[in-house]
Amino acid sequence: MSGAQQDLRLARAALSRLFEPSDTVGLALVSLVGPRNALRIARRETGVGVDVHRRLGESLDVPHGGRRPLEDGLERWAPRLRDLAPERDLATLDRLGGRLVVPESADWPAALDDLQQAAPLCLWVRGRHEMPPSARLAALVGSRDSTAYGSFVTADLASGLATRGYTVVSGGAYGIDAQAHRAALATTGGGDHAATIAILACGIDRYYPVGNEDLLRAIADQGVLVSEVPPGSSPTRWRFLQRNRLIAALSAVMVVVEARWRSGALNTAHHAAGLGRPVGAVPGSVQSANSAGCHRLLRDGTAVCVTDAADVVELAGPLGAEPLGDRARADAAPVLDHDGLTIPDLLLLDGLPVRAPTTVDRLSVVAGLSTREVISGLARLELAGLAVRAGGGWCRRRP
């Protein structure tokens, strides 16, 4: 790496700690004078000409004669100047086996350029896999307090997308995010491409939320962790909101699986729609508050209805399409025992032993269903040829 390239990396690394994500003044300054000169100006190592002030004001649409935006920016950045140590941050990145991806490098995701002046200064990336092309990235997002229905649908979508060669993108949070990552890892973990990508609102050396530490470690090993803020950075509400634009921009298609009326997932959906990315939403019960946000997206036309992975691939359009239509592949796929079953009946089927029969009471414990639900479910499974009475109890009918 040449000296000029290293200086450029150091400048972008320093600015990513100095500026908050989507700092309009800072990003506009970088766009006008470049990252190295922007850092010198932020450190007050060089004067700022009248022309730079004028052009910066014009790019930010500041009324003529008003306070110069750069003055506000310099005041805002000053307290962080003494903490700038880009060499230290890059050394930490090296210890983690990570890499800094900058717009000037060949592996920069071109899809982020659609963010224009809101594009990140750089990406701090951790993982042994390269980031796949954006045409093969599908985002699944939703509520942190997901229901059993939302978790089931997320796992089905993520595994279906993974088997079609897509990498699942999400935010590493509890609920829908975590389920999407887990299902993708379970389907393609250990393969020759990234199973899943987690876009973080904190440094890639921090496993947040703490309850997902094991999951995030697995993603670092079998997928990719990405952040626009340097190692050691804490998650904040602003960084979470700004992280959403990266999920939207990087992906060829975005799906909201489950979301409340004011869920942060809707913010991601609106980012995606504003960037021209196709948006899907999974319908739920009209009585479920966890699906109210999805229904809102469907009603206002931001999203279209999706129910399975084939719908998502179709929504992704030509960039993600494969020669053989996914609908045709789905129609040709063998019918499985669990196809068409409701979630309670699926839980009951999973709880049925193949050999030694079990009792209704035991099935109630294993499946987490009431006695009444077990009895009615067994009747349906028996009619479907999936369950059989044996030895005073019940077991699964062998193929």
Side-chain angles (χ1 to χ4, degrees), residues 163-223:
T163 57
R164 289 168 168 82
Y166 280 80
T167 294
V168 174
V169 180
S170 201
Y174 293 130
I176 298 299
D177 287 17
Q179 187 72 349
H181 291 308
R182 288 193 186 99
L185 287 170
T187 305
T188 60
D192 58 359
H193 70 279
T196 186
I197 297 174
I199 311 296
L200 306 180
C202 58
I204 57 172
D205 59 331
R206 301 190 59 170
Y207 297 115
Y208 184 89
V210 176
N212 281 350
E213 179 175 347
D214 289 343
L215 172 62
L216 293 170
R217 285 184 182 276
I219 296 172
D221 181 55
Q222 301 174 36

Side-chain angles (χ1 to χ4, degrees), residues 351-386:
L352 279 172
V354 176
R355 295 180 178 85
T358 189
T359 64
V360 169
D361 290 341
R362 181 59 184 164
L363 282 170
S364 181
V365 173
V366 172
L369 302 171
S370 67
T371 301
R372 178 180 56 81
E373 289 174 316
V374 170
I375 293 172
S376 61
L378 285 171
R380 288 190 294 271
L381 293 179
E382 185 179 27
L383 286 172
L386 301 176

Side-chain angles (χ1 to χ4, degrees), residues 247-261:
I247 295 175
L250 280 171
S251 306
V253 61
M254 206 214 72
V255 176
V256 182
V257 182
E258 205 172 41
R260 290 180 176 269
W261 185 259

